[in-house]
Amino acid sequence: MNSLRMDLQLRGRSGRQGDPGFSQFYVSLEDTLVWENSSDWVQKYVKKNEYNGTIRELTRRKFRKLFRSAQELVDLKSANSRMQNLLFDDILKQQREKVYAIRDWLMDPAVTAEDLIFPLLNRVYNQMLEKQIPDQLDTFAYFLLEHFSSDLNIIQDLTQKHPNSDLFSKLNTLVATTISHKKKQLHTEQAFQYYVKLCFLKAIDTCWINQVDRLDQIKRIVQSKNSKILSPLQEYQREAKSSYLEFLHAFDDLAISYLMLGVIEENSKTGELSIKFV
């Protein structure tokens, strides 16, 4: 077997009835365990002494030592892999605790819609400027359609050449108008507060699911090229940190999209409200 521990388990289980007897393992130099975890001389020996129909027992001490060394090497690789997985999972745990802390804060009754909306707008505007989105006409138009409004007339007006101060003023007016309309649809302040928090919670949950998948992909990539990386853990930490920053930006984008483009419908018969996110 690949591991000495598994050999001992197999031997122990086969003798649990208490009957007298013995166990014997048969190993070949062509076994995957030996072939992949031994020196070059083993492959040369196998090619030099090709199988001719006669089975020969390898009794020399160096062969017994070879099998034991191969198992020890596999055990060492497995132990290192388990330890590495624990360290990788600890990074995931740290990010998860940060995200859950954000969720707990969002659900705090003392946190109001105003506490969420205005900081969100500032972060989105800063990201727009940092990525120079207003300078790229097609990209800007698509960004507005995806996050602020589906009204083409509004998009056409916003994509005209404006100083940044005028542009953000127009966006603030659009947001204020949209928020006012949604307040009327929701009838009560309590329902509006619920709607805003629902937008943020749905956004962070959706982005966190994607972030967990992304971290798993990063871990697989790092582990697949483990032997080529000097420090796999540092590589994973670096990529995980970069991915977390992208997660925060994606959360802001999705939150503003849900907030502005969420559809509120009222059942004409029962008066029940339903919310749909597109």
Side-chain angles (χ1 to χ4, degrees), residues 173-228:
T173 301
L174 172 62
V175 172
T177 302
T178 304
I179 293 300
S180 176
H181 177 65
K182 292 186 183 300
K183 280 185 176 181
K184 291 179 181 179
Q185 288 182 298
L186 292 164
H187 305 307
T188 66
E189 179 64 23
Q190 184 179 5
F192 173 69
Q193 296 289 334
Y194 171 81
Y195 169 76
V196 173
K197 292 196 175 187
L198 180 63
C199 292
F200 278 76
L201 288 169
K202 183 173 176 59
I204 198 169
D205 288 345
T206 301
C207 292
W208 176 241
I209 291 172
N210 295 333
Q211 173 66 0
V212 172
D213 289 340
R214 192 177 300 114
L215 288 176
D216 184 63
Q217 293 173 9
I218 293 173
K219 182 172 72 172
R220 292 176 184 275
I221 293 172
V222 170
Q223 289 178 331
S224 68
K225 53 182 182 179
N226 202 349
S227 59
K228 300 178 182 178

Side-chain angles (χ1 to χ4, degrees), residues 258-270:
Y258 286 158
L259 182 67
M260 295 294 290
L261 303 179
V263 179
I264 302 170
E265 296 178 343
E266 183 175 359
N267 189 307
S268 58
K269 295 182 179 179
T270 63

Side-chain angles (χ1 to χ4, degrees), residues 13-62:
R13 290 178 181 180
S14 64
R16 281 184 178 175
Q17 298 302 320
D19 297 331
F22 70 96
S23 60
Q24 186 173 2
F25 292 93
Y26 293 91
V27 188
S28 168
L29 289 178
E30 294 178 310
D31 285 351
T32 303
L33 168 67
V34 179
W35 195 259
E36 293 181 353
N37 299 280
S38 58
S39 303
D40 293 339
W41 71 265
V42 176
Q43 298 182 18
K44 294 178 181 178
Y45 181 89
V46 171
K47 292 177 181 179
K48 183 178 179 181
N49 300 272
E50 293 184 354
Y51 177 66
N52 57 8
T54 303
I55 298 177
R56 293 183 298 137
E57 183 179 359
L58 303 175
T59 58
R60 296 175 63 180
R61 181 180 296 179
K62 72 174 183 178

Side-chain angles (χ1 to χ4, degrees), residues 125 158 163-176:
Y125 294 163
L158 289 171
N164 287 336
S165 57
D166 292 347
L167 171 63
F168 293 139
S169 176
K170 286 178 176 291
L171 283 174
N172 285 334
T173 301
L174 172 62
V175 172

